[in-house]
Amino acid sequence: MATPVQLQFSAPKKGMPPTHLADMTDDQVREAVTGLGLPGFRANQIARQYYGRLAADPRSMTDLPEATRDSVREALFPQLMTPVNEISCDGGETRKTLWRLHDGTLLESVLMRYPDRATLCISSQAGCGMACPFCATGQGGLDRNLSVGEIVEQVRTAAADMRDGRVEGGEGRLTNIVFMGMGEPLANYKRVLTAIRRITAPAPEGFGISQRNVTVSTVGLAPAIRKLADEEMSVRLAVSLHCPDDELRDELVPVNNRWSVTEVLDAAAYYAEKSGRRVSIEYALIRDMNDQPWRADLLGKRLKRALGSKVHVNVIPLNPTPGSKCDAAPKPVQDEFVRRVNAQGVPCTVRDTRGQEIAAACGQLAAEERGA
Ligand code: SAH
């Protein structure tokens, strides 16, 4: 079957930001530091400040000689992103930040605080090349990949805000990361993986967030899912299935034309087997599109067959994007859908939908800012 829309698997190289400490290996940091005429041990000290103390401005690094702080700043800490808009809801416990990157592209991250955890939803690309018709980001196409620094900085700023009590609810800790913002993380594989290693390495090599608390969400790039499984990490995999049959999924998730439902579920099963973790299946429920009782039955059957007990379905009520004809399924239809999937022996729950009123669905804030 011909691919109905143009998918973009590779991003233009132009526009990538200047190199930041978080883009560098430990050896590269050491080289940069000695290049500035400083002794090598300063490299360690600076990395400890950044990953351990979440500091990114050498002017506040009092253990560095004052005369060196400006040159360290210039060499290792270019300003990668500036907040241009921040909106909150849920009594301040959900906060969405829109950032402008050095080349003017826009990027979003959302922080959601719960009684027992705080989850940051981060972006892996500026825009997205996967063209899913119900998703705001998918409509704008792919601008470029984010650098490791741009991914890691989203996490560092939120972790510092939590620690310093700048989020409603007092001082706390950032505990969970989900790659469910803009972009297809597995299409920016190498940088996303390097970022995950930095996010999860114990301080002072990284931020020390548990791999088990990091979720990578993908449209289903089957070979990349297998590759991720072979990394032998314990991050959670979420697959945006949204449909159990190829005919409709070809339309809803156009990359399905390349890797079918069967191929995606086989890759997900491989991931479950290698990681020992349950795979999350994301299902945005869209009125009169993918919400039929027979599709719920088929979804449950196929998941049971492919993944056994190593699966959980998250139903997400569709968050309508401006200009789209897609809408959420009515509540009784949703309830029946969930009931039927559960009846097949596959645990299925409705995803908490925080942030609807702040346009927190994928890409919506950036779309508003661009005047779309
Ligand atoms: N590209 C990755 C991650 C980003 S999107 C992926 O597709 O998994 C994170 C999740 O939000 C995906 O499941 C995506 O399909 C879903 N999503 C996108 N737009 C949505 C909308 N308008 N309403 C509900 N869910 C949406």
Side-chain angles (χ1 to χ4, degrees):
M1 186 183 173
T3 305
V5 290
Q6 200 59 41
L7 299 178
Q8 297 161 279
F9 288 100
S10 60
K13 281 248 172 350
K14 67 174 174 45
M16 289 306 274
T19 306
H20 184 277
L21 176 93
D23 295 302
M24 300 183 190
T25 62
D26 295 346
D27 285 346
Q28 286 168 333
V29 177
R30 184 172 265 269
E31 233 170 79
V33 162
T34 51
L36 294 174
L38 297 174
F41 75 87
R42 296 282 180 209
N44 242 325
Q45 212 176 2
I46 294 166
R48 266 205 306 275
Q49 281 275 3
Y50 183 75
Y51 293 109
R53 294 197 205 159
L54 310 174
D57 186 352
R59 288 173 300 196
S60 70
M61 297 179 186
T62 48
D63 53 353
L64 279 185
E66 201 166 349
T68 66
R69 291 181 201 161
D70 279 346
S71 59
V72 168
R73 183 157 172 261
E74 219 162 277
L76 296 172
F77 296 99
Q79 174 100 26
L80 296 180
M81 37 199 244
T82 321
V84 290
N85 193 357
E86 195 170 272
I87 39 176
S88 300
C89 64
D90 305 317
E93 295 192 332
T94 301
R95 188 186 80 176
K96 177 157 184 158
T97 311
L98 181 72
W99 305 92
R100 193 181 303 283
L101 305 180
H102 82 108
D103 60 345
T105 43
L106 296 170
L107 124 77
E108 302 170 349
S109 51
V110 184
L111 182 62
M112 291 156 283
R113 186 172 199 166
Y114 302 89
D116 60 334
R117 65 188 196 279
T119 301
L120 182 71
C121 174
I122 60 174
S123 298
S124 56
Q125 299 182 306
C128 185
M130 297 296 116
C132 303
F134 56 89
C135 171
T137 309
Q139 305 320 294
L142 178 62
D143 291 325
R144 65 172 171 85
N145 282 317
L146 296 187
S147 68
V148 178
E150 287 167 328
I151 299 170
V152 168
E153 273 287 279
Q154 295 172 61
V155 178
R156 185 195 61 82
T157 51
D161 285 352
M162 282 296 297
R163 180 197 59 192
D164 298 338
R166 282 192 291 269
V167 182
E168 191 63 37
E171 291 168 15
R173 213 165 64 81
L174 179 63
T175 55
N176 293 61
I177 303 294
V178 296
F179 280 88
M180 292 188 181
M182 303 172 83
E184 167 51 41
L186 298 187
N188 187 14
Y189 187 91
K190 260 184 74 175
R191 295 183 191 86
V192 164
L193 210 77
T194 307
I196 293 174
R197 293 198 193 285
R198 283 301 187 187
I199 291 165
T200 60
E205 274 80 42
F207 299 138
I209 293 173
S210 160
Q211 281 190 1
R212 300 186 65 82
N213 291 353
V214 174
T215 301
V216 173
S217 180
T218 175
V219 283
L221 309 185
I225 292 175
R226 289 177 181 274
K227 198 167 156 196
L228 186 66
D230 289 334
E231 308 279 354
E232 316 244 330
M233 297 200 299
S234 53
V235 299
R236 181 186 291 279
L237 178 73
V239 176
S240 297
L241 199 66
H242 303 320
C243 184
D245 52 285
D246 288 321
E247 199 183 342
L248 177 60
R249 194 167 190 268
D250 278 349
E251 226 180 281
L252 283 182
V253 185
V255 77
N256 195 71
N257 290 278
R258 185 96 156 239
W259 294 290
S260 66
V261 172
T262 303
E263 287 169 285
V264 173
L265 293 184
D266 282 353
Y270 181 68
Y271 191 88
E273 185 197 322
K274 291 283 280 189
S275 66
R277 300 205 63 183
R278 273 189 187 183
V279 171
S280 295
I281 298 292
E282 309 295 300
Y283 202 103
L285 207 58
I286 312 173
R287 177 184 213 139
D288 298 333
M289 185 77 84
N290 63 354
D291 62 351
Q292 302 80 0
W294 71 265
R295 280 208 159 92
D297 298 342
L298 181 62
L299 176 69
K301 285 198 181 96
R302 291 199 71 166
L303 292 179
K304 190 87 203 166
R305 200 178 325 130
L307 286 139
S309 61
K310 290 279 182 214
V311 65
H312 176 271
V313 177
N314 272 317
V315 164
I316 317 164
L318 185 87
N319 197 342
T321 59
S324 157
K325 53 185 190 315
C326 294
D327 202 355
K331 185 74 171 39
V333 173
Q334 176 180 298
D335 290 346
E336 177 64 6
F337 194 94
V338 170
R339 192 191 67 73
R340 282 178 179 256
V341 177
N342 273 303
Q344 297 294 332
V346 172
C348 175
T349 49
V350 177
R351 158 90 65 76
D352 155 58
T353 52
R354 278 220 184 170
Q356 292 244 356
E357 65 265 47
I358 57 169
C362 193
Q364 286 187 0
L365 190 60
E368 279 174 15
E369 183 74 16
R370 282 193 302 265

